[in-house]
Amino acid sequence: SISVSQSEDPEQAAWSYVQSLKRAGNGTAKMLRQSKSKLPDGTPAVEFLATWVTKQNAEQTTQALTASKDGHSVTVATHTWEVGLPAKHFFLSLKFE
């Protein structure tokens, strides 16, 4: 999934994204870990891992990257249904402009 928000702070945008997962699901979502990062061009970013439960009670794991530039944050995420994490190489192909 891809989400765009008005935010200069990728950490704040990441937390907002987890809150969105909580609202989209059954009210259960938590950030498991996050780490500050930068894209190759120096754009501030945060990588994070979250778990949440859908309205149908399916457990999901979400791995995401949030980057902020020019007053906006973009979050790109992969979601897995009650299984392991997606292949990490997915995130190596992302470019943010």
Side-chain angles (χ1 to χ4, degrees), residues 34-83:
Q34 67 173 328
S35 61
K36 289 184 181 181
S37 183
K38 287 188 179 183
L39 300 184
D41 70 352
T43 301
V46 170
E47 294 181 53
F48 65 94
L49 182 68
T51 58
W52 60 291
V53 181
T54 69
K55 290 187 188 295
Q56 294 79 26
N57 292 318
E59 293 180 10
Q60 291 222 49
T61 300
T62 296
Q63 184 177 9
L65 173 71
T66 300
S68 298
K69 189 171 186 176
D70 298 331
H72 290 85
S73 290
V74 175
T75 300
V76 178
T78 59
H79 311 282
T80 58
W81 290 79
E82 300 181 306
V83 294

Side-chain angles (χ1 to χ4, degrees), residues 4-54:
V4 178
S5 61
Q6 290 184 328
S7 175
E8 289 283 346
D9 182 0
E11 283 185 274
Q12 179 184 359
W15 280 104
S16 293
Y17 188 85
V18 173
Q19 293 306 308
S20 295
L21 293 175
K22 186 182 280 190
R23 289 189 301 275
N26 75 356
T28 304
K30 63 182 172 180
M31 177 96 63
L32 296 181
R33 66 177 181 259
Q34 67 173 328
S35 61
K36 289 184 181 181
S37 183
K38 287 188 179 183
L39 300 184
D41 70 352
T43 301
V46 170
E47 294 181 53
F48 65 94
L49 182 68
T51 58
W52 60 291
V53 181
T54 69

